[in-house]
Amino acid sequence: MMEIISENLCFGGVQRVYSHESRTCSGSMRLGVYLPPACDHSTAPVLLWLSGLTCTEQNFITKAGAQRVAAELGMVLVAPDTSPRGDGTPDAPDEAYDLGLGAGFYVDATESPWAQRYRMYSYIADELPQILSETLGLNTKKMGISGHSMGGHGALIMHLKNPGLFQTVSAFAPIVAPMQVPWGKKAFQAYLGADQKAWADYDATALVMQNKSTAHILIDQGGADAFLEEQLKPHLFEAACEKAGQALTLRIQPGYDHSYYFIASFIEDHLRHHASGLS
């Protein structure tokens, strides 16, 4: 059952936030859904947005400014939370921002205490599309995926592992090679254990070498991003795409940082990228 938590008119459409019980994550999850005006929501294309570390569904729906263009394009926007929450949900013992609540990393955890609830990969790839289609009546046959930072990592792996489900893909400042950077190593060690073969199944730079897609990937990266050199390393994914023959446009935007000011500046390009691919 989907409970409407909030509902606001926005550019002629409706921005809702839902709550529902997730069988995959064994608890309540929240979900932002923007329904554009003057179109059949059962046939409109859907763009799924995955947010980054510390975020909830609120960051994208309140800061990205995506609804204006979505209203023009007749595109539904869906923004899930970044991790399970609520009573009984494990969190990092030191309340670190990069592990536990707000840091699900879009994997299915196999290690204790995370394994029961931290199943964000299956939630996004399996349960959520079913909810969108069967409960909300949305068109999951025309669906793209995008995201920021940790969510950019999520968008890339979701597409590469499910190209028939998420037919278009883009990302802002994604963690493209989590096996090779501190954020990813910390999360994967905790959620997946020491076996790096399991890690590779959630690493876009490793995946594209085996699972290149027919889509054209769009990535925007701020040139003044404080995390660029240590955590993001887009050149690693660029090199892997070139070797694999994967179509990629990587744009380094001079002077832009890691914030939603950066996302808001280029979100229109990304929505139009998805609209074109899903037409």
Side-chain angles (χ1 to χ4, degrees):
M1 179 178 177
M2 303 290 286
E3 178 186 359
I4 298 177
I5 301 299
S6 65
E7 183 174 78
N8 300 90
L9 291 179
C10 186
F11 292 101
V14 178
Q15 177 66 63
R16 290 177 179 159
V17 175
Y18 292 94
S19 176
H20 74 96
E21 289 300 311
S22 167
R23 65 177 186 274
T24 304
C25 297
S26 301
S28 179
M29 297 292 288
R30 288 168 66 105
L31 181 68
V33 178
Y34 178 70
L35 300 172
C39 73
D40 183 349
H41 298 143
S42 69
T43 60
V46 174
L47 179 62
L48 194 61
W49 174 270
L50 304 183
S51 291
L53 291 166
T54 76
C55 292
T56 69
E57 80 288 338
Q58 289 295 316
N59 294 73
F60 179 72
I61 68 175
T62 61
K63 296 179 181 180
Q67 294 94 336
R68 176 185 63 81
V69 181
E72 175 194 332
L73 296 173
M75 176 179 287
V76 175
L77 303 177
V78 176
D81 202 348
T82 49
S83 76
R85 300 180 193 267
D87 293 343
T89 305
D91 194 9
D94 57 358
E95 298 183 349
Y97 77 95
D98 53 359
L99 187 68
L101 297 183
F105 262 86
Y106 304 102
V107 304
D108 282 351
T110 57
E111 300 297 300
S112 179
W114 316 101
Q116 181 181 2
R117 300 200 64 180
Y118 282 75
R119 298 182 52 78
M120 290 301 294
Y121 176 82
S122 288
Y123 175 72
I124 299 297
D126 299 324
E127 184 177 7
L128 185 54
Q130 183 179 3
I131 290 170
L132 297 179
S133 175
E134 297 180 7
T135 304
L136 299 183
L138 300 178
N139 180 18
T140 55
K141 296 186 182 303
K142 284 190 175 183
M143 188 158 57
I145 193 163
S146 187
H148 171 232
S149 194
M150 178 186 72
H153 141 75
L156 292 173
I157 66 167
M158 291 290 172
H159 167 73
L160 291 170
K161 291 161 72 69
N162 307 278
L165 179 61
F166 303 110
Q167 296 122 43
T168 58
V169 62
S170 71
F172 287 82
I175 305 170
V176 297
M179 294 176 66
Q180 301 182 55
V181 301
W183 276 340
K185 290 178 181 178
K186 179 177 180 177
F188 285 6
Q189 177 73 42
Y191 296 143
L192 303 173
D195 183 3
Q196 295 201 7
K197 290 181 181 179
W199 297 14
D201 202 35
Y202 297 104
D203 184 296
T205 297
L207 282 170
V208 77
M209 298 299 295
Q210 305 297 326
N211 301 324
K212 77 167 186 173
S213 79
T214 58
H216 193 119
I217 299 173
L218 171 63
I219 293 177
D220 272 314
Q221 170 64 61
D225 190 322
F227 303 112
L228 177 58
E229 298 301 327
E230 182 181 19
Q231 303 282 13
L232 305 178
K233 301 183 182 293
H235 63 280
L236 296 177
F237 187 65
E238 183 178 36
C241 286
E242 183 175 358
K243 187 173 182 179
Q246 172 68 55
L248 168 70
T249 296
L250 170 62
R251 308 191 303 188
I252 305 297
Q253 304 290 1
Y256 283 89
D257 59 18
H258 198 70
S259 72
Y260 265 81
Y261 296 110
F262 162 55
I263 294 169
S265 299
F266 300 101
I267 192 66
E268 180 170 351
D269 291 354
H270 285 244
L271 267 62
R272 295 192 184 281
H273 166 80
H274 288 276
S276 176
L278 296 170
S279 61

